[in-house]
């Protein structure tokens, strides 16, 4: 079987201003507003059935995140068709009967993100900036960074913390651990771009200069060892 064609970093999508990010060969991630996704991409019947009975706000998150994931899988040459996107007991998504690609989902205040990793586990996280107190700053940030963030104006403090926490969440999700993996213990510098934590690599691309109207921090992390088809639960 021929290997899927590589997806260039920053390739445009049917979502205005949104681009697929490819931090390393075989790993792709994408984020967009839920309303953009559902307005531009077809929704699978399996996802509609799975969302039936959910509260309206949760149904939107569910449909948008999985619709974005299916689009990303197609672009990466890993088309899931109309097959189900299931979850382990702790919430970590996977594709039943498709052990090859690792997948991850995230949602935050009207935004969704998805990631695909060919032959490896991945984690993705999108964080819409929100108010953050001193206690949370000191819990999650490196020594000295909490003070630096606390001294910033409110909007800059929120954005700076969201960038850090998106990386922390993505890293533990790549290991399938979710909050049980204590994301606040992952050391992440201010204004993060790339790094390594244990055997996880991560990337937090800067805001897209072509579309900075409503950009939010997004981070992706991936493992180097073969993906785990069953194991410790994680979360979306």
């Amino acid at each position: 079987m021929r290997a899927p064609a590589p997806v260039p970093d920053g390739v445009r999508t049917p979502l205005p201003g949104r681009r697929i990010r490819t931090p390393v060969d075989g790993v792709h991630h994408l984020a967009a507003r839920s309303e953009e996704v559902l307005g531009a991409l077809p929704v699978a019947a399996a996802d509609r059935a799975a969302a039936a009975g959910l509260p309206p706000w949760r149904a939107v998150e569910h449909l948008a995140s999985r619709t974005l994931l299916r689009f990303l899988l197609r672009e990466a040459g890993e088309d899931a068709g109309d097959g189900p996107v299931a979850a382990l007991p702790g919430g970590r998504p996977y594709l039943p009967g498709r052990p090859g690609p690792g997948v991850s989902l995230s949602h935050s205040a009207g935004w969704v993100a998805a990631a695909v990793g060919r032959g490896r586990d991945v984690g993705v996280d999108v964080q819409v900036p929100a108010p953050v107190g001193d206690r949370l700053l000191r819990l999650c940030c490196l020594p000295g960074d909490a003070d630096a963030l606390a001294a910033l104006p409110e909007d800059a403090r929120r954005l700076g913390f969201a960038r850090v926490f998106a990386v922390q969440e993505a890293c533990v999700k790549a290991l399938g651990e979710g909050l049980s993996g204590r994301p606040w213990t992952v050391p992440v510098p201010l204004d993060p771009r790339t790094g390594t934590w244990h055997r996880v690599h991560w990337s937090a691309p800067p805001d897209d200069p072509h579309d900075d109207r409503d950009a939010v921090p997004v981070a992706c992390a991936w493992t180097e060892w073969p993906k785990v088809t069953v194991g410790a639960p994680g979360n979306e």
Side-chain angles (χ1 to χ4, degrees):
M1 181 180 296
R2 294 175 59 187
V7 179
D9 185 56
V11 66
R12 289 180 178 272
T13 74
L15 307 169
R18 311 302 178 200
R19 290 169 168 77
I20 296 174
R21 296 295 187 180
T22 303
V24 67
D25 184 41
V27 174
H28 316 289
H29 65 95
L30 176 62
R33 287 186 177 275
S34 297
E35 61 192 28
E36 293 175 328
V37 175
L38 297 179
L41 300 174
V43 177
D47 296 334
R48 291 193 186 278
L54 294 175
W57 64 270
R58 183 66 185 100
V60 169
E61 289 180 341
H62 183 98
L63 292 173
S65 60
R66 284 153 181 78
T67 297
L68 192 66
L69 174 62
R70 290 180 190 278
F71 169 76
L72 197 56
L73 284 163
R74 290 194 296 271
E75 292 298 298
E78 301 281 0
D79 194 349
D82 197 32
V85 178
L88 293 171
R92 182 175 188 168
Y94 71 100
L95 305 177
R98 296 286 305 279
V103 298
S104 183
L105 301 170
S106 179
H107 47 78
S108 174
W111 279 73
V112 291
V116 174
R118 190 166 62 245
R120 67 182 91 198
D121 288 304
V122 291
V124 70
D125 197 70
V126 57
Q127 288 286 332
V128 173
V132 54
D134 288 345
R135 182 176 180 182
L136 191 57
L137 284 177
R138 300 188 186 285
L139 175 66
C140 297
C141 296
L142 293 169
D145 287 353
D147 291 333
L149 283 177
L152 294 176
E154 178 66 18
D155 287 349
R157 178 167 63 252
R158 294 183 184 188
L159 180 60
F161 179 78
R163 285 174 171 156
V164 169
F165 199 64
V167 173
Q168 292 174 325
E169 284 271 6
C171 285
V172 296
K173 288 162 77 170
L175 295 181
E177 295 178 348
L179 288 176
S180 67
R182 296 164 46 111
W184 52 89
T185 65
V186 180
V188 178
L190 297 182
D191 193 24
R193 298 300 173 91
T194 60
T196 301
W197 172 69
H198 293 175
R199 289 179 289 174
V200 173
H201 303 283
W202 58 263
S203 171
D207 295 340
D208 190 336
H210 300 288
D211 184 31
D212 59 358
R213 298 163 299 151
D214 54 4
V216 300
V218 180
C220 182
W222 59 94
T223 62
E224 287 295 348
W225 59 81
K227 72 177 293 293
V228 177
T229 54
V230 294
N235 69 9
E236 285 191 5

